[in-house]
């Protein structure tokens, strides 16, 4: 957790820190301190990997997720401490309400898939320090499709009914994501390429906290812009879901947003102080556009309009990110941005009308879930991906700390 003993130095890559202090007061100090903090519980478990052996440690982790920590023979104290925290369910969690209020959200599956890439993932690429772990582990430019499928599979699992329950697939995948972060953090912290003075701790608490913004505030806002708005209680359920997922991911309570207002504050300080965009950030965007988003849009458009897919992707990204960040990422300008912006309110009106007819919700949701299943199968077939997360991906090519290569 963030403590007063943490370094007070400001990572040199950050900008406009004094303005942040004026605008956000004491929250700025929590945010800056979080630049130097990883995840003490997961990091302690990963520190035991050399003694346990990577494969054995990961098997212990999976067994603890599936059967409980008491079922793990010879579990180290570090793993027991991690699961003591994971099994301590917060008093504010109401999974039944989250599932109930999210019952029909799959009706917008087509739109949410596009938003995942063009808004959620791309928004994180405007920060050269936060995206540096992807560069140093080679997990995106070399294989944009595989990593996007991994992220999508995790999101699909945690958004299923019961996906937050203790022995669900969503719980296990989330805990594994947390330990993957710790493995990458430990590996990068030892590398001479990692500039601690400039970037702080790899996958630090501040940037971990922002992932909740990437998967809640940003996509909900983007969905409204393209005419697929969720209902108010669905928005509230999304914030509640990601508050708990943030808890499972080990995000410090001071950085863990409880609602939309706290996510907006976190987004504002992140965007204000973020390091400058660099060439790698731009290559990330070019990679996901070329290898993933453009082919996906081509598959949605009528065949005769497929040639416009790149421009439509650029239009969506500019609509979601705004011109300042889009310019820094060198996303081309296009007149389609205004067209998409004008179409959004029209589609919103249509969908609002449909949402007022309860009888339409089950049918639309069934179609959305069928699309999710078809999309998952097609993407895995097209990209040759048969695993869930990187720790289970085949060896070969560039090494990755989560695989123990």
């Amino acid at each position: 957790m963030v403590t007063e003993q943490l370094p007070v130095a400001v990572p040199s890559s950050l900008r406009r820190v004094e303005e942040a202090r004026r605008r956000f007061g004491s929250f700025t100090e929590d945010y800056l301190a979080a630049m130097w903090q990883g995840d003490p519980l997961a990091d302690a478990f990963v520190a035991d990997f050399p003694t346990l052996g990577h494969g054995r440690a990961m098997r212990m982790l999976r067994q603890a997720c599936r059967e409980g920590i008491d079922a793990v023979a010879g579990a180290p104290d570090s793993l027991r401490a991690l699961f003591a925290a994971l099994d301590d369910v917060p008093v504010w969690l109401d999974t039944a309400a989250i599932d109930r209020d999210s019952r029909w959200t799959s009706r917008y599956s087509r739109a949410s898939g596009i938003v995942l890439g063009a808004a959620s993932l791309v928004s994180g690429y405007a920060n050269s320090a936060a995206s540096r772990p992807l560069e140093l582990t080679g997990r995106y430019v070399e294989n944009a499709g595989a990593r996007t499928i991994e992220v999508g599979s995790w999101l699909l699992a945690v958004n299923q009914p019961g996906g937050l329950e203790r022995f669900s697939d969503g719980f296990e995948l989330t805990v594994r994501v947390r330990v993957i972060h710790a493995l990458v953090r430990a590996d990068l912290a030892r590398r001479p390429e990692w500039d601690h003075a400039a970037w702080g701790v790899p996958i630090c608490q501040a940037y971990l906290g922002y992932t909740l913004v990437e998967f809640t505030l940003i996509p909900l806002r983007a969905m409204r812009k393209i005419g697929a708005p969720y209902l108010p209680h669905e928005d509230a359920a999304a914030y509640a879901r990601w508050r708990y997922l943030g808890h499972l991911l080990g995000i410090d309570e001071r950085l863990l947003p409880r609602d939309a207002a706290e996510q907006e504050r976190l987004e504002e300080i992140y965007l204000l102080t973020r390091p400058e965009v660099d060439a790698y950030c731009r290559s990330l965007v070019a990679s996901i556009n070329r290898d993933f988003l453009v082919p996906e849009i081509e598959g949605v458009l009528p065949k005769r309009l497929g040639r416009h897919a790149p421009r439509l992707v650029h239009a969506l990204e500019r609509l979601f990110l705004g011109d300042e960040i889009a310019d820094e990422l060198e996303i081309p300008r296009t007149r389609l941005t205004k067209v998409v912006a004008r179409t959004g309110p029209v589609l919103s009106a249509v969908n609002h009308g449909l949402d007022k007819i309860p009888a339409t919700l089950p049918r639309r949701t069934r179609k959305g879930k069928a699309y999710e299943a078809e999309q998952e199968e097609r993407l895995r077939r097209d990209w040759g991906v048969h695993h869930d997360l990187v720790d289970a991906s085949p060896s070969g090519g560039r090494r990755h700390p989560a695989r123990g290569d």
Side-chain angles (χ1 to χ4, degrees), residues 310-353:
R311 291 176 57 224
L312 182 54
V313 168
H314 299 152
L316 289 166
E317 289 170 341
R318 281 197 166 268
L319 182 66
F320 298 152
L321 302 176
D323 284 335
E324 178 183 350
I325 294 177
D327 285 343
E328 291 180 36
L329 290 170
E330 296 183 355
I331 296 170
R333 289 178 177 263
T334 170
R335 294 177 182 177
L336 276 180
T337 304
K338 291 183 178 179
V339 175
V340 176
R342 290 168 183 161
T343 303
V346 176
L347 292 176
S348 287
V350 172
N351 284 319
H352 269 311

Side-chain angles (χ1 to χ4, degrees), residues 154-175:
W154 171 49
L155 297 181
L156 194 61
V158 299
N159 281 288
Q160 292 295 317
L164 299 180
E165 298 299 335
R166 170 59 181 84
F167 295 100
S168 67
D169 290 342
F171 179 94
E172 178 183 330
L173 288 171
T174 304
V175 174

